[in-house]
Amino acid sequence: MVANVRRFLIFFTHGKLYAFDLEYVAEVMDPALSCPIPFAPSSYCGAINFHGAIVAVIDLAVFLGFAPYLELEKLIVLDVSVASLGFLVDRVARIVSEK
């Protein structure tokens, strides 16, 4: 087995394929009820309590300039050591390894 092989979380937003390095992903979960963030940009859906940390939730499609998508199935939460952010996405496809 090869040591230090990078793995990526493959997901879809607005029908387009994207990936995050799995090293930076804390959890993939169903969207959670969030509290509004006053005066935040329209891409911010609110904030959640994620295991005791306040995490801002962003609609990734809106952040990237696409129209809002009504069927956001998953929330990808980054490791809080990277950023206190979660991204709402259409769906998560799979985890792949770097070749």
Side-chain angles (χ1 to χ4, degrees), residues 3 16 19 30 33 38 40 53 62 67 80-82 94 96:
K16 299 190 183 308
D30 291 331
L33 184 61
V62 174
V80 293
S81 66
V82 175
R94 63 187 176 276
V96 298

Side-chain angles (χ1 to χ4, degrees), residues 57-76:
V57 177
I58 296 174
D59 182 331
L60 189 56
V62 174
F63 180 78
L64 294 173
F66 299 113
Y69 192 72
L70 299 177
E71 296 186 33
L72 299 168
E73 293 183 7
K74 292 297 177 186
L75 174 61
I76 301 171

Side-chain angles (χ1 to χ4, degrees), residues 1-78:
M1 180 180 259
V2 179
N4 298 326
V5 174
R6 292 175 60 193
R7 297 184 312 158
F8 298 91
L9 178 70
I10 307 298
F11 61 93
F12 289 88
T13 291
H14 209 272
K16 299 190 183 308
L17 187 69
Y18 294 92
F20 280 136
D21 189 323
L22 195 58
E23 178 180 346
Y24 304 122
V25 175
E27 190 170 325
V28 176
M29 56 191 273
D30 291 331
L33 184 61
S34 62
C35 298
I37 303 173
F39 308 108
S42 61
S43 59
Y44 282 75
C45 301
I48 63 169
N49 177 344
F50 180 71
H51 305 293
I54 297 172
V55 173
V57 177
I58 296 174
D59 182 331
L60 189 56
V62 174
F63 180 78
L64 294 173
F66 299 113
Y69 192 72
L70 299 177
E71 296 186 33
L72 299 168
E73 293 183 7
K74 292 297 177 186
L75 174 61
I76 301 171
V77 182
L78 297 182

